[in-house]
Amino acid sequence: MAGAVGELEEVLASQRRGLSPKDPDTMATWHSLAYFRGLAGDAAGAVAELEKLLTERNVLLGPKNPVTLTTQHSLAFFRGQAGDAAGAVRELEATLASQLQVLGPEHPDTRTTRHDLAYWQRLANDL
């Protein structure tokens, strides 16, 4: 995972120089970097990056855009991984509400969010 993080850092730096920092490909790489950073064990670092990315995506795409919702879901996951199960629950509840409106109850992303919400609720003792 550390190798992937290093490679993605280089790609992101190159994209930010050659493309706009707000280019969809640059932002997708930023998301991937944050995600792999979290998988490599730096959940707090992933949360910090995903919070910034979510702010940008909310402005550029809007809070109900499916890409924005994917970032919000990833943020919730790593928030939980960083030890904030209650924060993960809050974030996933908000994500699910938007996904139900935008994607519908049967969409795979909505179903995944329901599953993850139940998981973090259990860990937060919010049965």
Side-chain angles (χ1 to χ4, degrees), residues 27 53-64 68 72:
M27 295 185 88
L53 178 58
L54 182 60
T55 298
E56 289 291 325
R57 284 190 162 163
N58 275 320
V59 170
L60 293 171
L61 303 174
K64 305 271 184 180
T68 303
Q72 188 173 6

Side-chain angles (χ1 to χ4, degrees), residues 12 16 26-34 49 52-53 56:
L12 183 59
R16 284 179 170 162
T26 303
M27 295 185 88
T29 301
W30 188 7
H31 184 271
S32 295
L33 172 58
E49 287 301 313
K52 290 185 244 178
L53 178 58
E56 289 291 325

